[in-house]
Amino acid sequence: MKRRLRSLLAAVSLPLVLVGMLLAAHPAAAATLTRITGFGTNPTNLNMYLYVPDRVAARPALLVLVHYCSGSASGIFNGNGHDYVTAADRYGYIIVVPEATRSGSCFDVSTPAA
């Protein structure tokens, strides 16, 4: 009786282990950077992007990831900021990525409109 029970358990558990291995080898599609429009007064005409990981923490932190002059939201997101994106996936925090649209792609930090 015990031998038969063990055989049955082995037959049932093997497919479950194989499915788990396949899922681990091919993770679900990652969340993406999404453009947000109509987010309020925007005197310097910024673009705004949001990254929400597939699993968000119960009380998520918020990180504002700002690009360098002549950079872009996608450039910082996929380049130097990639480690922050990886950490967001791991810890469940949300990332806001503003993008300057003026000449030189630098943020306006000196005019009254800013």
Side-chain angles (χ1 to χ4, degrees):
M1 179 72 166
K2 285 184 180 182
R3 180 180 248 164
R4 187 171 184 203
L5 183 59
R6 284 183 191 161
S7 296
L8 182 61
L9 287 174
V12 169
S13 64
L14 182 61
L16 294 175
V17 170
L18 291 175
V19 167
M21 288 172 58
L22 287 173
L23 289 175
H26 300 287
T32 59
L33 195 60
T34 304
R35 184 169 182 195
I36 305 298
T37 59
F39 53 86
T41 304
N42 189 6
T44 57
N45 197 33
L46 295 176
N47 288 330
M48 187 68 61
Y49 296 87
L50 183 67
Y51 180 76
V52 179
D54 291 332
R55 291 184 314 217
V56 178
R59 296 181 61 196
L62 178 68
L63 174 73
V64 178
L65 182 59
V66 181
H67 68 78
Y68 44 87
C69 275
S70 76
S72 66
S74 64
I76 195 71
F77 184 81
N78 295 310
N80 292 343
H82 181 70
D83 288 343
Y84 294 110
V85 178
T86 301
D89 290 334
R90 182 174 182 182
Y91 298 110
Y93 62 80
I94 297 169
I95 302 175
V96 173
V97 189
E99 181 177 65
T101 58
R102 52 187 254 152
S103 177
S105 296
C106 293
F107 290 98
D108 179 0
V109 296
S110 59
T111 68

